[in-house]
Amino acid sequence: MNLLKSFLVAAFLSGAATAQSTSTQAPSTELPRGATVWVNTGTEIILLPALGLSVSVPVGSVDVRGSVGTLFLPFAADGVGGPASVPVFASVDALFNFPQGPVNLYAGPGVGTVSGQALLLNATAGVRGEFRQGRLGWFSEAKLRGYVMDGSSVVLPGLHLGVTYRF
């Protein structure tokens, strides 16, 4: 139940950040871009808590973002008893930008690995903005991740909420 409350509070804060930032943003043609650090919390694999850290750099109209993250599995990764596990994700995403007034919509594919044990294919879509035209910003994104391991695959959703800092 605490996880659900935390998720609802994070969603509310993200919405409040969106409302606050929309009144002070520059027109979409003036949205700055640059190397950016992304820090997020969210859910992976339905409602399991996750943390992540990413760095993106603009390459033309695309932001190339490298990410590392983890999530808490309250059971063994193989599903057969044992202690909880904390797998590490590493991925690279190509995020295409679509400025929309005071916010930037983005979407794109990615590829990565889970602890070197499984291939990870991402599809990401999100929205991000800045607080009062500063370097500090916010983002909210949805992910679909395909896990490919031992000849089988599964596609699972995730949701990330977080803050950004642009250099």
Side-chain angles (χ1 to χ4, degrees):
M1 189 63 160
N2 287 336
L3 179 61
L4 180 58
K5 286 180 185 176
S6 298
F7 178 76
L8 291 174
V9 167
F12 173 77
L13 291 175
S14 178
T18 302
Q20 178 184 5
S21 67
T22 57
S23 64
T24 60
Q25 288 295 318
S28 64
T29 57
E30 297 178 24
L31 286 174
R33 292 183 60 216
T36 305
V37 174
W38 308 56
V39 179
N40 71 274
T41 186
T43 64
E44 293 285 344
I45 312 175
I46 308 181
L47 287 177
L48 297 177
L51 294 172
L53 176 66
S54 307
V55 175
S56 66
V57 293
V59 178
S61 64
V62 176
D63 287 337
V64 177
R65 181 174 72 177
S67 303
V68 293
T70 189
L71 71 112
F72 176 73
L73 292 174
F75 46 82
D78 61 6
V80 182
S85 61
V86 182
V88 175
F89 298 87
S91 66
V92 175
D93 299 308
L95 302 175
F96 296 87
N97 295 289
F98 307 97
Q100 300 292 313
V103 298
N104 185 47
L105 302 179
Y106 60 91
V111 64
T113 185
V114 181
S115 300
Q117 306 282 320
L119 176 64
L120 179 65
L121 302 173
N122 300 328
T124 303
V127 60
R128 77 179 197 182
E130 294 177 336
F131 296 111
R132 301 184 188 268
Q133 298 178 332
R135 295 180 181 274
L136 189 62
W138 56 270
F139 74 98
S140 177
E141 67 185 23
K143 281 187 173 278
L144 282 178
R145 290 191 176 184
Y147 300 85
V148 181
M149 183 174 12
D150 298 330
S152 63
S153 64
V154 63
V155 176
L156 298 168
L159 176 65
H160 295 166
L161 303 170
V163 294
T164 61
Y165 184 82
R166 180 183 39 81
F167 292 94

